[in-house]
Amino acid sequence: MTAQPDDATLLDIHQRMTRIRIFETEAGKLMEDGKIPGALHLYVGQEAVAAGVMAHLSNADWITSTHRGHGHLIAKGGEFGRMFAELFGRSDGYCKGKGGSMHISNMELGMLGANGIVGAGPPIAVGAAFSCRFKQTRNVAVTFFGDGASNEGSFHEAANMAALYKLPIVFVCENNGYGEYTPQANHQAVVDVADRAPGYGMPGAVVDGMDAVAVYEAAGVALERARDGAGPTLLECKTYRFFDHVGVRGMGLSYRTDEELAEWQQRDPIVLFEQRLAELGVLDPGAALAVREAVAAQVQAGIEFAEASPMPDPAVLLDDVYA
Amino acid sequence: MTAQPDDATLLDIHQRMTRIRIFETEAGKLMEDGKIPGALHLYVGQEAVAAGVMAHLSNADWITSTHRGHGHLIAKGGEFGRMFAELFGRSDGYCKGKGGSMHISNMELGMLGANGIVGAGPPIAVGAAFSCRFKQTRNVAVTFFGDGASNEGSFHEAANMAALYKLPIVFVCENNGYGEYTPQANHQAVVDVADRAPGYGMPGAVVDGMDAVAVYEAAGVALERARDGAGPTLLECKTYRFFDHVGVRGMGLSYRTDEELAEWQQRDPIVLFEQRLAELGVLDPGAALAVREAVAAQVQAGIEFAEASPMPDPAVLLDDVYA
Amino acid sequence: MAEAEAVPAVRELTYVRAINEAVRLVLAEQSTAFVAGEDVAGAGSVFGYYAGLLKEFGPERVFDTPISEEGIVGLGVGAAATGLRPVIDIMFMDFMGECMDEITNQMAKMRYMFGGAATLPITLLTMSGAGMNMAAQHSQSLEAWLCHLPGLKVVMPATPYDAKGLIIAAARDDNPVIVALNKMSLRFKGEVPEAAYEVPIGAANIVRRGENFTIVTYSRMVHEALQAAQELAELGVDAEVIDLRSLQPLDSETVLASVRKTHRAMVVHEAVRFGGLGGEIAAQIQEHAFDDLDAPVGRVGAPFSPVPFSPQLEKSYVPNAAKIVAEARRLLGA
Amino acid sequence: MAEAEAVPAVRELTYVRAINEAVRLVLAEQSTAFVAGEDVAGAGSVFGYYAGLLKEFGPERVFDTPISEEGIVGLGVGAAATGLRPVIDIMFMDFMGECMDEITNQMAKMRYMFGGAATLPITLLTMSGAGMNMAAQHSQSLEAWLCHLPGLKVVMPATPYDAKGLIIAAARDDNPVIVALNKMSLRFKGEVPEAAYEVPIGAANIVRRGENFTIVTYSRMVHEALQAAQELAELGVDAEVIDLRSLQPLDSETVLASVRKTHRAMVVHEAVRFGGLGGEIAAQIQEHAFDDLDAPVGRVGAPFSPVPFSPQLEKSYVPNAAKIVAEARRLLGA
Ligand SMILES: Cc1ncc(C[n+]2csc(CCOP(=O)(O)OP(=O)(O)O)c2C)c(N)n1
Ligand SMILES: Cc1ncc(C[n+]2csc(CCOP(=O)(O)OP(=O)(O)O)c2C)c(N)n1
Ligand SMILES: [Mg+2]
Ligand SMILES: [Mg+2]
């Protein structure tokens, strides 16, 4: 697992990233067209993180996600149709329309939900990791969270418990430099969230979150450690979101400079990855285009599926509160 | 301030430690005699920490304390009579009998309360430190908390905020090796809580909490830094409580060995300190005994004062809820 | 906000602008007041109600915090106890759970536990309510938790006028006051005087006089109740609508006086019906006006589920004028 | 606990031993059950009710946690969602505020938000109540918060029998169930069968039959109510006492049937009266049995202040039989 990715894995990562990118871009448009109600937090720009980590996981491994959760679910195997249906609030959505973007989830895929509460994922993932060990499997839990979330007490408590119990879990901090409209320098005095790892007695690592191979490799090390019973790792991926905090253009605040955005876009994780695949001779530009087209068609099919899905019957309102 | 303590300071520290020791020992007896209701967490063994830190503070500096708070209040200038009155639930108590041991406090002394909630102190101290800076004083806040409390999310959030805002505050972790009956190794994977400091971007230091001079000196450095506007420090004092978690004998659980207790008692902070003072020629054993006797008399007077204090009139029950 | 001279002393403002103006006046009049919370400074809050304040008052008085609700409230408690007058922002009321210990065990009790020695002039602004398809974790009305805690005051303004006046009153009050705003009301307009004025905490407002039915409500449901009252008028029911404005302290006298006149009453809130404040109010009414009641006191609130995401479901979930009318008809046997 | 053969099938046990036995039976019958919390393993809980379980079931099934209430509940949520059946301990109910987000926004809502796909069989034990001079932060009864949250069940046993039966029922239930115990009841004794039995969640218990007054109560106040009923009997009032046992779901039917018979009722709880569950219950009674009521529904609860430390003050603060009798007399005009 700590090895470099083989060709099949590279193509797999590419597929996952492309799926996220096109889904999210379309979702953004649909939102701007008024077709997606509520709040939509898009993952564009951060694809290398979800793809690089999830390439190591099976459905029996668990993840917890964030308010920015579509990318994680797609990388974990989420189907476009059921996802769009959820974003639209339709009855064929993964949550029957009851959850929406912020709670999209699928237990069969091992995806314990996007979450509207910043910092809610880590403690839940600790529980999932405990489960994996309790059942004497080699399965793991991975918890994704942002730089902003790393300041919630819940992260602290979860990290301490994970290290104490040597649980099979990886803490993946997606440091995109902002918590909403607040730059990292205005929410924590440290530059690397990974610096918090030693305080819990776990290893920490910083990796280029725009480089899917780097993420893949670092996640491989951390996951192997976790599966081997050696305990958690805090893996910080430096990344950037290309859209605004919420939606595509957000509230129109100017809290990031155009230059900063442009600089990061220079390092678009998919462009970088495709260049690399071309250099390696694994996927030439034409083949990459074919992948994109195929995915785009799937996305369109997903949208159609979702649009055809009925709105939930008001009679189901009080269902699913209790088992 | 970073200098070694002068003779007057040494005597002052000795006085503070002695006051704590005798007060707490008597309080333990009174509890065992059924004269103090509720829960009583005694500070005996940890005196060097409160005394070494508080020797630097004025009434205009703020502290937050813990459930084990008498020592902090005494070192901050608390009067025995009003303290015993509070422990007895009398109307002359610092809180008019409404708070008791777990909420004993005095705003005029800059003591923001013992606290029944583990981990509650640090965020409040952050607010007090913010106040000190807002008012453009050189005053500081000090927050005392245990090894166990360092696992509460509230500690994490407070530490991050303090470092972010470079507030004039010192985090004093009194690591006595246990959170209630759970040894440190069963509640965190790290040995030194101070290892958490770099994760917030503040310096951390470990000091022998049985050595009042070491505490005094390390606290001096941290406090000077704080007063100078250079931000917080996490100062960990390794110490031990000589009595049980609650009361003197506690619940009678055998979670610590007699050997461990005996080893630490060998390093009784007051005995060590008196040896040192004798060596330095600052206080000979006879003079130390005189201090003890004088304090013991004050403690007795305090108990008498408290015993003479009336119980609160039931008519005051609903007073003090609102300003 | 630089519209100085030309503006009349009373003009139409939105709820969001009224909040903004209130906080601005508070910062201007109280040198020890400051605003702290997530995205309150640079962004002026995600709801926009602190817009411009950072620029006007500077970063020591208006500042962003980390995403650390317990820390934020703790900052408020510590700063207040030591002499400042914090205005603390918790972005969504749904996040109360993250700081409920600070609110419950510190903010609400510190004064009492200290025998009256601590004073905590904290104003805590937060945002409640459903209706924007924000699903289960961004749509709640949890005021029942807060009203059960001695030591706190709780207000929930329904109009721009009350938003401004209650925030100013809260900030001038020496107790912790929670001001729960409503997100669907942000664009509501209403007349708001320019001056700094107080809406007294603890005083309800009779927003519609009526003779034979009392609707007790607060926050956005005031508007739904007013609409329901109009519909009821067509059915020959002349409803009095009481906007409580303050939930703690509760103006029971105004409620009871109305019920003694109308002999019928109902409580309406957006919060989940079971265990909501409506129970307390209904219990008080039947206790103190038992012989005046010609019918049971009704209650309208959200049904017993989390807030659903799907717009259709959410619509059938949130109380509204139609449901108020239906419940009134049921009570009146009409 | 190794008293096997000689013991009769039903014997006297204390409340604390009954809890212990229940958890032991749960761990024995459910291979995926485990106990986690602060000082639950080595110390067997500060109240002693897990004594011996670490030894019997080993450290993977009974373990101590750090002082991290949010983490502890999160552990329970994550473990439950992924197939285990956690028994989670939050030492004092006063600490609920530390984990209220996990309880409110995760535990209570996950199933609904996921469209029914997640199942959370969590049993959360905690300790409520005043009376031991533990002051404002270790004496609260905060069940009103929990009962207001769709997705949770809430039970509060008054007797050893119910403590055991409700804990077993909670652990076998596929929903999150909060079991709020009472610290003043730990030494209470009562008959407890040896076997694993369930007390059904959602079923109240009529602990005293009576004809002309209904006292609805739960937890330790059941005993105070029974004593009050005795005193009332001397005044010619034959009170029926209902121990709700479950607060969510609430057995409204049993309550209403009683009131329809007695025509007078009162709700008693230890929690602060204002905003307590008594309001909900009184509101339901007057709503559904309006024409049956000969007097307003009364309520007894703690007054509106934090719990004071001083023993005398605490005594005048906590509801008791004398206050119940006084309120009953007031209601009856006697
Ligand atoms: C407990 C809580 N506090 C605040 C918020 C509001 N909020 C939503 S997203 C967000 C920023 C999160 O920042 P980060 O963790 O860095 O994730 P990112 O949005 O950058 O992916 C905030 C403050 C929330 N949803 N939950
Ligand atoms: C929020 C909260 N959780 C749990 C407790 C129960 N409790 C009281 S003291 C204590 C141990 C505290 O350990 P530590 O911080 O190391 O302080 P020490 O007692 O060793 O001085 C615990 C768990 C509490 N009072 N508050
Ligand atoms: Mg971020
Ligand atoms: Mg300790």
Side-chain angles (χ1 to χ4, degrees):
Chain A
M1 289 252 193
T2 57
Q4 293 180 331
D6 58 22
D7 291 359
T9 303
L10 289 170
L11 290 172
D12 173 56
I13 292 173
H14 178 255
Q15 175 77 16
R16 292 182 208 243
M17 287 207 283
T18 309
R19 286 174 66 81
I20 298 172
R21 174 68 55 94
I22 298 177
F23 179 96
E24 290 291 73
T25 306
E26 289 304 312
K29 286 184 205 152
L30 289 163
M31 190 218 75
E32 296 204 316
D33 292 349
K35 291 198 175 149
I36 296 179
L40 194 77
H41 303 90
L42 299 170
Y43 195 72
V44 171
Q46 306 186 193
E47 294 90 344
V49 182
V53 173
M54 248 64 89
H56 293 284
L57 304 184
S58 81
N59 288 354
D61 296 314
W62 296 98
I63 65 165
T64 65
S65 174
T66 68
H67 56 288
R68 200 175 300 292
H70 316 156
H72 304 130
L73 178 51
I74 292 170
K76 198 94 194 349
E79 283 169 35
F80 294 152
R82 298 198 62 195
M83 287 186 68
F84 278 119
E86 191 57 38
L87 301 192
F88 293 173
R90 305 297 172 107
S91 55
D92 290 305
Y94 270 128
C95 308
K96 302 183 192 163
K98 285 179 173 170
S101 167
M102 279 198 284
H103 309 295
I104 198 161
S105 56
N106 186 263
M107 299 297 287
E108 280 148 36
L109 296 171
M111 200 293 194
L112 284 161
N115 211 308
I117 298 297
V118 168
I124 296 173
V126 162
F130 177 79
S131 241
C132 293
R133 186 175 64 201
F134 190 95
K135 297 179 198 154
Q136 298 183 306
T137 66
R138 274 181 62 84
N139 290 118
V140 295
V142 177
T143 178
F144 294 89
F145 60 100
D147 50 306
S150 73
N151 299 324
E152 282 282 12
S154 56
F155 158 73
H156 178 73
E157 298 186 2
N160 183 61
M161 287 170 76
L164 173 67
Y165 300 136
K166 277 192 189 285
L167 291 177
I169 180 171
V170 179
F171 291 79
V172 178
C173 180
E174 301 189 64
N175 183 347
N176 60 10
Y178 294 85
E180 287 195 351
Y181 312 102
T182 301
Q184 191 195 353
N186 289 359
H187 73 62
Q188 54 193 201
V190 288
V191 172
D192 294 333
V193 175
D195 286 352
R196 294 188 171 168
Y200 305 111
M202 67 169 92
V206 178
V207 67
D208 178 359
M210 305 311 260
D211 178 345
V213 173
V215 172
Y216 177 84
E217 289 177 359
V221 174
L223 286 161
E224 192 166 278
R225 204 179 122 79
R227 292 191 205 277
D228 286 348
T233 301
L234 172 51
L235 181 62
E236 177 181 7
C237 305
K238 304 283 192 188
T239 182
Y240 202 79
R241 60 172 156 68
F242 290 173
F243 294 163
D244 211 315
H245 168 64
V246 63
V248 178
R249 269 163 271 256
M251 295 164 56
L253 296 167
S254 57
Y255 60 102
R256 312 194 293 191
T257 62
D258 293 344
E259 294 73 48
E260 184 182 281
L261 174 60
E263 248 174 62
W264 280 93
Q265 279 173 329
Q266 288 294 326
R267 306 200 54 249
D268 183 317
I270 298 183
V271 174
L272 288 183
F273 196 67
E274 288 186 356
Q275 280 168 0
R276 182 160 185 160
L277 293 194
E279 281 162 26
L280 290 171
V282 175
L283 188 78
D284 64 33
L289 183 65
V291 170
R292 275 201 292 283
E293 283 172 356
V295 169
Q298 290 163 23
V299 163
Q300 288 312 317
I303 294 170
E304 279 159 36
F305 170 86
E307 280 176 340
S309 173
M311 283 291 176
D313 186 324
V316 306
L317 180 64
L318 298 183
D319 294 350
D320 303 321
V321 181
Y322 292 97
Chain B
M1 288 249 193
T2 56
Q4 292 183 333
D6 58 23
D7 289 1
T9 304
L10 289 170
L11 290 172
D12 174 54
I13 293 172
H14 178 255
Q15 175 80 14
R16 292 182 207 244
M17 289 206 283
T18 308
R19 286 174 66 82
I20 298 172
R21 174 67 54 94
I22 298 177
F23 179 95
E24 290 290 74
T25 305
E26 288 305 310
K29 284 186 204 149
L30 289 163
M31 191 219 74
E32 297 204 317
D33 290 351
K35 291 198 175 148
I36 296 179
L40 194 76
H41 304 91
L42 299 169
Y43 195 72
V44 170
Q46 307 185 192
E47 293 89 346
V49 183
V53 174
M54 246 64 89
H56 294 282
L57 304 184
S58 82
N59 287 355
D61 297 313
W62 296 99
I63 66 165
T64 66
S65 174
T66 69
H67 55 288
R68 199 175 302 290
H70 317 153
H72 304 131
L73 178 50
I74 294 169
K76 198 94 189 359
E79 284 170 35
F80 294 152
R82 297 200 60 195
M83 287 186 66
F84 277 120
E86 190 57 39
L87 302 191
F88 292 174
R90 305 298 172 106
S91 55
D92 291 303
Y94 270 128
C95 308
K96 304 182 189 162
K98 285 179 172 169
S101 167
M102 278 197 283
H103 309 295
I104 197 161
S105 57
N106 186 263
M107 299 297 286
E108 281 148 36
L109 296 171
M111 201 292 194
L112 284 160
N115 210 310
I117 299 297
V118 168
I124 296 172
V126 161
F130 176 80
S131 238
C132 293
R133 188 177 60 200
F134 191 95
K135 296 180 198 154
Q136 299 183 303
T137 66
R138 275 181 61 83
N139 290 119
V140 295
V142 177
T143 178
F144 295 90
F145 60 99
D147 50 305
S150 74
N151 299 323
E152 283 281 12
S154 56
F155 159 72
H156 177 72
E157 298 187 3
N160 182 61
M161 288 171 76
L164 173 67
Y165 301 137
K166 276 191 188 288
L167 291 176
I169 180 172
V170 179
F171 291 81
V172 178
C173 180
E174 300 190 64
N175 184 347
N176 60 11
Y178 293 84
E180 288 193 347
Y181 313 100
T182 300
Q184 191 195 353
N186 288 0
H187 73 63
Q188 54 191 200
V190 288
V191 173
D192 293 334
V193 175
D195 285 352
R196 295 191 169 167
Y200 305 111
M202 68 170 91
V206 177
V207 67
D208 177 0
M210 306 311 259
D211 177 348
V213 172
V215 172
Y216 177 83
E217 289 177 358
V221 174
L223 286 162
E224 194 166 276
R225 204 180 122 79
R227 292 190 204 277
D228 286 348
T233 301
L234 172 50
L235 181 62
E236 177 180 6
C237 305
K238 306 281 193 188
T239 181
Y240 202 79
R241 59 173 158 68
F242 289 175
F243 293 163
D244 211 314
H245 167 64
V246 63
V248 179
R249 268 162 272 256
M251 295 164 56
L253 296 166
S254 57
Y255 60 102
R256 312 194 292 192
T257 61
D258 293 344
E259 294 73 46
E260 182 181 279
L261 174 59
E263 248 173 63
W264 281 92
Q265 279 173 328
Q266 288 293 325
R267 306 200 54 253
D268 183 315
I270 298 183
V271 173
L272 288 184
F273 195 67
E274 288 186 354
Q275 279 168 0
R276 183 158 183 162
L277 294 194
E279 281 162 25
L280 290 171
V282 175
L283 187 79
D284 65 31
L289 184 64
V291 170
R292 275 201 293 283
E293 282 171 357
V295 169
Q298 290 163 22
V299 164
Q300 287 313 317
I303 295 170
E304 279 159 33
F305 170 86
E307 279 176 340
S309 173
M311 282 293 176
D313 186 324
V316 306
L317 178 64
L318 299 182
D319 294 350
D320 303 320
V321 181
Y322 292 97
Chain C
M1 307 266 141
E3 40 201 341
E5 293 102 320
V7 187
V10 175
R11 67 279 190 249
E12 288 247 305
L13 276 193
T14 55
Y15 191 88
V16 66
R17 289 284 303 275
I19 300 166
N20 184 276
E21 186 163 283
V23 179
R24 186 153 52 82
L25 289 168
V26 165
L27 289 170
E29 96 181 3
Q30 301 178 3
S31 63
T32 52
F34 67 91
V35 178
E38 294 161 18
D39 288 299
V40 299
S45 130
V46 299
F47 304 105
Y49 52 68
Y50 302 119
L53 300 182
L54 167 63
K55 207 171 152 200
E56 191 169 340
F57 297 97
E60 191 77 354
R61 298 194 61 202
V62 181
F63 57 95
D64 290 321
T65 62
I67 312 176
S68 304
E69 288 78 11
E70 195 169 359
I72 296 167
V73 178
L75 170 80
V77 170
T82 57
L84 305 186
R85 301 186 73 87
V87 176
I88 290 299
D89 193 271
I90 295 296
M91 197 184 288
F92 284 80
M93 193 175 215
D94 309 71
F95 310 158
M96 285 283 140
E98 294 283 11
C99 48
M100 208 54 198
D101 182 73
E102 285 292 333
I103 291 176
T104 304
N105 286 326
Q106 314 302 332
M107 189 193 275
K109 297 186 174 57
M110 188 187 269
R111 181 178 184 82
Y112 189 83
M113 294 188 303
F114 288 13
T119 302
L120 296 177
I122 302 167
T123 302
L124 191 155
L125 267 57
T126 191
M127 187 58 73
S128 70
M132 294 180 74
N133 315 123
M134 297 199 72
Q137 295 172 339
H138 284 75
S139 307
Q140 295 168 85
S141 296
L142 297 170
E143 63 274 12
W145 290 1
L146 303 168
C147 296
H148 191 41
L149 296 174
L152 297 185
K153 296 186 179 181
V154 183
V155 302
M156 289 184 78
T159 64
Y161 181 91
D162 286 346
K164 178 171 169 184
L166 285 170
I167 288 170
I168 291 175
R172 290 179 182 167
D173 197 295
D174 277 343
N175 296 288
V177 184
I178 314 265
V179 183
L181 305 161
N182 178 272
K183 60 174 79 73
M184 287 283 280
S185 308
L186 290 167
R187 310 282 146 221
F188 284 0
K189 281 194 171 171
E191 295 206 332
V192 178
E194 260 187 63
Y197 61 91
E198 291 185 35
V199 167
I201 295 175
N205 190 18
I206 301 174
V207 290
R208 185 188 200 278
R209 298 264 164 197
E211 290 305 317
N212 52 26
F213 194 69
T214 299
I215 304 178
V216 181
T217 186
Y218 55 91
S219 189
R220 190 172 71 79
M221 287 300 122
V222 169
H223 308 290
E224 297 292 327
L226 285 170
Q227 195 186 312
Q230 265 184 329
E231 293 175 36
L232 288 170
E234 287 160 31
L235 301 172
V237 179
D238 182 21
E240 181 145 303
V241 179
I242 298 178
D243 177 359
L244 289 170
R245 303 194 294 197
S246 294
L247 306 184
Q248 189 62 269
L250 186 72
D251 184 356
S252 306
E253 279 323 302
T254 297
V255 172
L256 293 172
S258 176
V259 175
R260 289 191 181 112
K261 174 179 73 176
T262 64
H263 307 297
R264 287 176 175 83
M266 168 166 133
V267 192
V268 179
H269 54 54
E270 215 191 295
V272 168
R273 187 180 192 273
F274 191 106
L277 201 68
E280 174 66 33
I281 298 166
Q284 287 195 16
I285 293 173
Q286 64 83 38
E287 181 175 356
H288 299 294
F290 187 75
D291 291 329
D292 296 294
L293 281 175
D294 288 345
V297 183
R299 287 185 294 156
V300 172
F304 207 64
S305 84
V307 183
F309 163 67
S310 188
Q312 294 309 319
L313 291 180
E314 192 186 31
K315 217 164 255 162
S316 53
Y317 177 89
V318 182
N320 57 23
K323 289 183 191 174
I324 298 170
V325 171
E327 171 75 352
R329 294 181 72 149
R330 193 183 67 82
L331 290 171
L332 298 164
Chain D
M1 307 263 139
E3 41 201 341
E5 295 103 318
V7 187
V10 175
R11 66 279 190 252
E12 288 247 308
L13 276 192
T14 55
Y15 191 85
V16 66
R17 289 284 304 275
I19 300 166
N20 185 275
E21 186 163 282
V23 179
R24 186 155 51 82
L25 288 168
V26 166
L27 288 170
E29 97 182 358
Q30 302 178 1
S31 63
T32 53
F34 66 91
V35 178
E38 295 160 18
D39 287 300
V40 300
S45 131
V46 298
F47 303 106
Y49 52 68
Y50 302 119
L53 299 183
L54 166 64
K55 206 171 153 199
E56 191 168 342
F57 296 97
E60 190 76 355
R61 298 195 62 201
V62 181
F63 58 95
D64 290 321
T65 63
I67 312 175
S68 305
E69 288 79 10
E70 196 169 359
I72 296 166
V73 177
L75 170 81
V77 170
T82 58
L84 304 185
R85 302 186 72 87
V87 177
I88 291 298
D89 192 89
I90 297 294
M91 197 185 288
F92 285 81
M93 192 175 214
D94 308 71
F95 310 158
M96 284 282 140
E98 294 282 11
C99 49
M100 207 56 197
D101 182 73
E102 285 292 332
I103 291 175
T104 303
N105 285 326
Q106 314 301 332
M107 190 192 276
K109 297 186 173 56
M110 188 186 269
R111 181 179 184 82
Y112 188 82
M113 295 187 303
F114 289 13
T119 303
L120 296 177
I122 303 167
T123 303
L124 190 156
L125 265 58
T126 192
M127 186 58 74
S128 70
M132 293 179 76
N133 316 122
M134 297 198 72
Q137 295 173 338
H138 285 74
S139 307
Q140 294 168 86
S141 296
L142 296 170
E143 61 275 12
W145 291 359
L146 303 168
C147 296
H148 191 41
L149 297 173
L152 297 184
K153 296 187 180 181
V154 183
V155 302
M156 289 185 78
T159 65
Y161 180 91
D162 287 345
K164 178 172 170 184
L166 284 169
I167 289 170
I168 291 174
R172 289 179 183 169
D173 196 296
D174 277 344
N175 295 288
V177 184
I178 314 264
V179 183
L181 304 161
N182 178 274
K183 59 175 82 69
M184 288 283 280
S185 308
L186 290 166
R187 308 284 147 225
F188 284 179
K189 281 195 171 169
E191 294 206 334
V192 178
E194 258 187 64
Y197 61 91
E198 291 184 36
V199 167
I201 295 174
N205 191 18
I206 301 174
V207 291
R208 185 186 198 278
R209 299 265 164 195
E211 289 307 316
N212 52 24
F213 193 70
T214 298
I215 304 178
V216 182
T217 187
Y218 55 91
S219 189
R220 189 172 68 82
M221 287 300 123
V222 169
H223 308 290
E224 298 292 328
L226 285 170
Q227 195 186 313
Q230 263 182 332
E231 292 174 35
L232 287 169
E234 287 160 30
L235 301 172
V237 179
D238 182 20
E240 181 144 305
V241 178
I242 298 179
D243 176 359
L244 290 171
R245 302 195 293 199
S246 294
L247 307 184
Q248 189 62 267
L250 184 72
D251 186 356
S252 305
E253 279 322 304
T254 297
V255 172
L256 293 172
S258 175
V259 176
R260 288 189 183 115
K261 175 179 71 176
T262 63
H263 308 296
R264 287 178 175 82
M266 169 166 132
V267 193
V268 179
H269 53 57
E270 216 192 295
V272 168
R273 187 181 192 270
F274 192 105
L277 202 68
E280 174 66 33
I281 297 166
Q284 288 195 16
I285 292 172
Q286 65 84 38
E287 182 176 354
H288 299 293
F290 187 76
D291 291 329
D292 296 295
L293 282 174
D294 290 345
V297 182
R299 288 183 294 156
V300 171
F304 207 63
S305 85
V307 183
F309 163 68
S310 187
Q312 293 309 317
L313 290 181
E314 191 186 32
K315 217 165 254 164
S316 52
Y317 177 90
V318 182
N320 57 24
K323 290 181 190 178
I324 298 170
V325 170
E327 171 75 353
R329 293 182 72 148
R330 193 183 68 80
L331 290 171
L332 297 165

